[in-house]
Amino acid sequence: MSRPATRNKNKRHRPEDEAEIRSEILRRIHSTGEITQDDIEQLYNIRKTICQGCRVNTRDNPNCFCGLVPPPNGSRKSGLWQKMSEIVASFGPDPAKDLRDSEDSPAGLTNLGATCYANSILQFLYMNRAFRECIFSVEPEVLKQHPVLDQLACLFAQLRASKMAFVDSAPFIKTLDLDNGVQQDSHEFLTLLLSLLERCLSHSEVRNAKTVVQDLFRGSVSHVTRCSMCQQDSEASSKLEDFYELELNVKGLKSLDDSLVDYLSVEALNGDNQYYCESCGTRVDATRCIKLRALPPVLNFQLKRCVFLQKTTAKKKITSTFSFPRLLDMGKRLAQPSDSQMVYELSAVLIHKGTAVNSGHYVAHIKDEITGHWWEFDDEQVSSLGHHPFGEGKSGVVCMPDKVDIVNSPCKDESPSVSNKNYVNPELPSSSGDNNVETYSSTDAYMLMYSIRHSNLGGDRYSVCSADSKERKADVAPLNAKTPLPSHLSEMIDELNASYLIVCDQYKDRKERELSNITQRREEVRSLISEAPVVSLEEPYFWISTDWLRQWADTVAPPNGIDNSTIRCSHGKVPVTKIGSMKRLSSEAWTRLYSKYHGGPCLQDIDCCKVCLLDVAREAVNANSYRDTRASMKELAEAALAGKCFDGTLYYVSKPWLQQWVRRKNSDQPSEADAGPTTGITCPHGQLRPEQAASAKRVLVPEVLWLFLYENANLLLTPRKEEDNSIKPELHLDRLTFPFDSRVCPECSIELTEVACLEDTLREVKMRQRQNHEKLAAGKSFPLSPNLKYYLVPSTWMCKWRNYVNASGKNISLSVKPDSLDGVIDSLICEKHSRLLDRPPGLTCKRGMIFQKIPATDGLAILTANDWDTFCEEWGGRQEKGIIAEIKFRDSLKSNIFGSCQEQSITEDQMNDEVDDQLADREPYIDTSPEVCEDCIGERETSELMEKLNYSDKDICVCLIHGKEAPKSILEASKNCFELDRRTSKRSRKTPFGDKVNLKVSGCTSIYQLKMMIWEYFGVVKENQVLHKGRSIIDGESATLADLNIFPGDVLWVTDSEIHENRDIADELSNQKIDLQLAEEGFRGSLLASSTS
């Protein structure tokens, strides 16, 4: 059997060839009414080749399944083919990642926003083994009575035995009623927390727990004042004061030794600061100092890094390098040196990162008492530092942003590490007198914690060391013993760990299940798509919706059933118009889909709808006929628009409508825009509008073009319904047809004639007024003479009159007519005093003549008596109601050049130098009748000023001047404000004299806030800003812009004095926010504050 000849059938045609072939088939079907199998294969694109490797799916090829699935290594942004890593991320965080590495590694604490200060202190307390064991030993009933103790015990228990790498600190923070969004001082938090815990623990019957705060952290000092004459101490010198930490100065000091010497130094009391000695009975010179009486086992040093700067009235953090030793000998610093060795070892360093006082971040470096291993506690992150407080730098050791250089270390195998701000300095003297003891340095160390060092760590208990070398023993288990948790805490931890492990297992199971499902779905889709193409024309096939197939191939959860309803016609078959929305599916692929998902309907190869195909053929033939006819009619329309004369019967159509019709693209059928070819030339009376009317231009077209437009618009074939109330019943569509001999509507012609006559009359009236007031209409000024009578009218009325009489052309009917003069003059007189409500305009002398200053738009304008009389006749005014103005001088001298009572111009020939000097020495002014009412004007101006100053969200311009003096354009810029509603750029722009920026401000904006904006844009600190408006300097920061009469559109300029050092604006904003809102309150409102009351 020979191979079928499919070469020509499968040959790929060009798009224009395919369109021609398709059009030929449809014409033949329309003419014969017969449809062959070959026609169906051609029109349904069944013979198109099976695509392979296309980047997108081809809509008009039912055999193309490309693009339904991505390439083997490809992915998509969503759906079934999303990257596996993104799908796993959509499951949420894996709880197993929060699993603690081992029982020996500490756990972190969650930061609830700004609670790092509390986390650092809590970790320090927990890592003190004696303290946490005493908390664990508190009776359950006492814990229930004191929620703070209860939550602290639960927190410590979780830090010790939780399976998670970090513990939620929210219950403890909530119990203290702390605001987790406000950064607080860690030293203040420790002081208040110890005070609260001391009060709560006093209710316990367990001896060790009852006084653990006092036994571990409390020492005593005395303030000794000694008379220089009798050498006796004051009575108050014998009083002991408890302390829980020693506050040491840092400014100007380099080491802990220097700070301790400064703390214990002797202060001389002399001069105005003399001491009154009761023994001597007089004011005498004396000395005062602090003496250490007893030291606790845990000695805390608070480094005072916060100082107040008087120049900037702000707080600043001292970031100078400060050194401290690993071993600290405090025996010689007691008031009475102890016989026993009192050597303390560094156990914790609290670090404050950042340059701002009231912001930044707290971390804690704490040593494990048992192993001697250092850890960095940074909220949830806990990192190993090795055997040194700032990291060893060994391989495998986490290097933090602090640095350390290990020199003369007792550990021979430990290599030094270098980082940013912390290091070991062997050259600084040691407190213990041993030059080989390690000394550390830091720029951010904020608190130092030292623990007493004993020769026998295994058997000693913590003690309080005093001057007489006595120790208060406490029965606490040895440090290297591991005490089990109490039963109530152990049960809680077991439940939390069990629930956590369950969550981990659930996440793991879900992840495996979802990924397995996705993998199976991908394999199913790829397998079915590979079977989908129909290999030969003889094989049976099924039609399927492309939308449903794409949704099925791209979603993890496939749709419930096959939906082919969108590709089925009203006859229950497949129309040829849906060829771009469906695919040919092989019988095997359809069987697999249908057996699993069901749905339907099933549309086979025999379900091509021939009825719809005949309709499509008829529409295609009609479309071709319409397209060809319209192309020929378009040529006639273009000729008509060009002015060509045609023979035969002609008809009028709207010229603008025909121009739009010609510009429209050729289409297959008439559109709604083809209706109404004569609507624009039909008057309200249903007749032909005069061509002089607006938008009534018309053009004559030949009868053949009119009939084409007539048929398409369906103007006469479809009668109007009488139910349409918007159409008058007496009008008929045949009256909308206008042959070339149609008469113009007489009524509309008369109306147009009347309007034209009115416009002519109005034009003559305006011309006459321009002639009567030639200088006023042209806006020219004229010289004024004393002893002549003038009149005043509002400048706004004059502007409106000038625009009215100068309007011409199309604007003549649109110009606004001025109001009558009687009403205008009445509005200038106050009802209360019957005086003038506006001040007369100013006068100026030029070349020996007096002129009115250029009037403002809202002021008054001067008229001659002749102009006033004429205006009264033209605009309905009464001469006796006019506001009279006379030119007078401030002194009693009379001008020799103004002797006439008649109005006259003074030419330059009549003037001489003497007269010029005499006129220049005098100040002319206008005297009005009635007089000016200063009371009412003052009230109005005050009201207007208050309204003007009550602005918000308006622009002012600020210029940064690099020189000492601003240019003249800047100095005078505020006199001419720009438009308030104009859009302006907020970006800083370079200018020849400096930088310029527009700032959004309000009348209530303070100078301080304005300076902060300038700081943000130009980088000039507010203390260095010298702010000006014009030539005046703006001082202070508390006044508002309204107080200083700074209006929208004003131009301010600023220079940089460069007196104070630059700093980050974030520090100012942080200090401003904390100081103004919450810093003064501190812990007010929390449980810590109640413990101090």
Side-chain angles (χ1 to χ4, degrees), residues 81-154:
W81 305 100
Q82 193 177 5
K83 292 181 180 179
M84 281 296 188
S85 59
E86 296 177 356
I87 294 176
V88 172
S90 65
F91 299 158
D94 186 357
K97 291 183 179 180
D98 300 333
L99 190 66
R100 192 186 296 202
D101 296 336
S102 66
E103 294 182 358
D104 297 331
S105 61
L109 289 172
T110 56
N111 191 334
L112 306 178
T115 57
C116 56
Y117 69 94
N119 292 345
S120 302
I121 296 300
L122 291 173
Q123 292 284 15
F124 159 68
L125 294 177
Y126 168 77
M127 292 296 286
N128 188 297
R129 187 172 182 274
F131 181 79
R132 73 169 179 262
E133 295 299 339
C134 288
I135 295 297
F136 289 152
S137 65
V138 177
E139 308 92 309
E141 54 272 14
V142 176
L143 296 179
K144 292 180 180 179
Q145 295 174 2
H146 301 279
V148 175
L149 275 180
D150 188 24
Q151 289 297 334
L152 185 63
C154 293

Side-chain angles (χ1 to χ4, degrees), residues 329-374:
D329 187 359
M330 295 294 293
K332 297 181 180 180
R333 302 187 188 278
L334 287 171
Q336 297 179 2
S338 173
D339 296 334
S340 61
Q341 188 178 15
M342 296 183 59
V343 178
Y344 285 81
E345 185 172 5
L346 184 66
S347 60
V349 181
L350 187 66
I351 294 174
H352 175 264
K353 297 181 179 180
T355 58
V357 174
N358 295 312
S359 61
H361 183 59
Y362 288 97
V363 297
H365 294 189
I366 308 174
K367 185 179 72 172
D368 191 318
E369 296 178 2
I370 299 176
T371 63
H373 198 93
W374 281 85

Side-chain angles (χ1 to χ4, degrees), residues 51-299:
C51 296
Q52 292 183 354
C54 298
R55 298 184 61 182
V56 294
N57 188 262
T58 307
R59 287 179 55 86
D60 62 346
N61 187 357
N63 301 317
C64 177
F65 294 90
C66 301
L68 294 179
V69 295
N73 296 327
S75 62
R76 291 177 179 169
K77 293 183 179 180
S78 60
L80 178 63
W81 305 100
Q82 193 177 5
K83 292 181 180 179
M84 281 296 188
S85 59
E86 296 177 356
I87 294 176
V88 172
S90 65
F91 299 158
D94 186 357
K97 291 183 179 180
D98 300 333
L99 190 66
R100 192 186 296 202
D101 296 336
S102 66
E103 294 182 358
D104 297 331
S105 61
L109 289 172
T110 56
N111 191 334
L112 306 178
T115 57
C116 56
Y117 69 94
N119 292 345
S120 302
I121 296 300
L122 291 173
Q123 292 284 15
F124 159 68
L125 294 177
Y126 168 77
M127 292 296 286
N128 188 297
R129 187 172 182 274
F131 181 79
R132 73 169 179 262
E133 295 299 339
C134 288
I135 295 297
F136 289 152
S137 65
V138 177
E139 308 92 309
E141 54 272 14
V142 176
L143 296 179
K144 292 180 180 179
Q145 295 174 2
H146 301 279
V148 175
L149 275 180
D150 188 24
Q151 289 297 334
L152 185 63
C154 293
L155 186 68
F156 281 4
Q158 293 180 67
L159 288 173
R160 176 173 175 176
S162 174
K163 296 288 185 182
M164 296 187 65
F166 55 86
V167 177
D168 185 11
S169 60
F172 181 75
I173 299 297
K174 186 177 181 180
T175 302
L176 291 177
D177 291 331
L178 297 178
D179 187 349
N180 55 20
V182 177
Q183 179 78 281
Q184 298 285 8
D185 182 67
S186 60
H187 163 244
E188 184 181 4
F189 175 74
L190 174 61
T191 303
L192 296 177
L193 181 61
L194 290 179
S195 176
L196 176 61
L197 294 177
E198 182 178 345
R199 181 165 59 87
C200 295
L201 288 170
S202 64
H203 297 83
S204 175
E205 298 298 331
V206 180
R207 186 163 62 93
N208 298 326
K210 188 180 185 71
T211 59
V212 64
V213 174
Q214 302 92 308
D215 295 340
L216 280 179
F217 304 106
R218 188 173 69 181
S220 60
V221 298
S222 61
H223 292 78
V224 179
T225 304
R226 177 170 295 177
C227 177
S228 299
M229 294 183 63
C230 64
Q231 298 297 318
Q232 292 187 6
D233 296 341
S234 65
E235 293 183 3
S237 301
S238 60
K239 295 182 180 179
L240 297 181
E241 299 180 9
D242 295 335
F243 73 88
Y244 291 87
E245 68 281 318
L246 297 178
E247 298 186 19
L248 305 181
N249 290 324
V250 173
K251 187 176 181 180
L253 304 173
K254 296 182 178 180
S255 65
L256 183 60
D257 286 332
D258 296 342
S259 295
L260 286 172
V261 171
D262 175 74
Y263 182 77
L264 300 174
S265 62
V266 178
E267 178 187 2
L269 303 178
N270 49 34
D272 295 337
N273 199 25
Q274 281 188 325
Y275 161 71
Y276 181 82
C277 179
E278 295 183 357
S279 300
C280 299
T282 183
R283 297 179 65 86
V284 297
D285 293 344
T287 59
R288 182 168 58 192
C289 65
I290 298 175
K291 292 186 178 295
L292 298 176
R293 300 298 181 180
L295 297 177
V298 180
L299 183 58

Side-chain angles (χ1 to χ4, degrees), residues 317-492:
K317 177 185 174 183
I318 298 176
T319 57
S320 58
T321 302
F322 188 82
S323 62
F324 44 92
R326 181 173 66 88
L327 299 179
L328 180 66
D329 187 359
M330 295 294 293
K332 297 181 180 180
R333 302 187 188 278
L334 287 171
Q336 297 179 2
S338 173
D339 296 334
S340 61
Q341 188 178 15
M342 296 183 59
V343 178
Y344 285 81
E345 185 172 5
L346 184 66
S347 60
V349 181
L350 187 66
I351 294 174
H352 175 264
K353 297 181 179 180
T355 58
V357 174
N358 295 312
S359 61
H361 183 59
Y362 288 97
V363 297
H365 294 189
I366 308 174
K367 185 179 72 172
D368 191 318
E369 296 178 2
I370 299 176
T371 63
H373 198 93
W374 281 85
W375 299 89
E376 182 185 56
F377 295 88
D378 187 358
D379 294 330
E380 296 90 348
Q381 301 296 325
V382 180
S383 307
S384 173
L385 298 175
H387 288 82
H388 298 279
F390 298 107
E392 292 178 336
K394 280 187 177 181
S395 177
V397 177
V398 179
C399 295
M400 305 308 293
D402 301 318
K403 80 175 180 182
V404 69
D405 288 338
I406 307 299
V407 181
N408 297 330
S409 172
C411 301
K412 301 296 184 181
D413 58 340
E414 294 171 359
S415 60
S417 71
V418 179
S419 144
N420 279 339
K421 301 180 179 179
N422 307 292
Y423 55 91
V424 174
N425 190 344
E427 298 179 358
L428 293 174
S430 171
S431 299
S432 62
D434 187 0
N435 291 333
N436 291 327
V437 174
E438 298 169 6
T439 302
Y440 310 101
S441 295
S442 173
T443 59
D444 289 326
Y446 188 62
M447 292 183 69
L448 303 176
M449 292 81 168
Y450 283 83
S451 299
I452 191 69
R453 187 183 189 190
H454 298 285
S455 59
N456 184 4
L457 292 177
D460 285 343
R461 299 171 176 88
Y462 62 80
S463 60
V464 178
C465 304
S466 60
D468 55 3
S469 300
K470 295 181 180 180
E471 298 181 351
R472 298 199 299 269
K473 301 292 183 179
D475 297 332
V476 178
L479 295 178
N480 56 359
K482 189 168 184 179
T483 308
L485 289 174
S487 58
H488 64 282
L489 293 177
S490 179
E491 292 175 359
M492 178 201 69

Side-chain angles (χ1 to χ4, degrees), residues 959-968 970-971 992-994 1026-1028 1030-1033 1053-1058:
C959 301
L960 175 62
I961 305 300
H962 297 316
K964 294 183 179 180
E965 184 69 22
K968 185 177 180 181
I970 298 298
L971 296 175
F993 50 80
V1026 183
L1027 199 58
H1028 304 75
R1031 300 187 182 276
S1032 302
I1033 297 179
W1053 59 284
V1054 63
T1055 57
D1056 187 357
S1057 66
E1058 300 181 357

Side-chain angles (χ1 to χ4, degrees), residues 306-317 357 1022-1023 1063 1067-1068 1071 1075:
C306 177
V307 295
F308 181 80
L309 301 179
Q310 294 183 350
K311 289 184 177 180
T312 61
T313 66
K315 296 178 182 178
K316 182 180 179 181
K317 177 185 174 183
V357 174
K1022 64 181 181 65
E1023 295 81 15
R1063 66 180 191 278
D1067 298 343
E1068 178 73 18
N1071 292 337
D1075 293 342

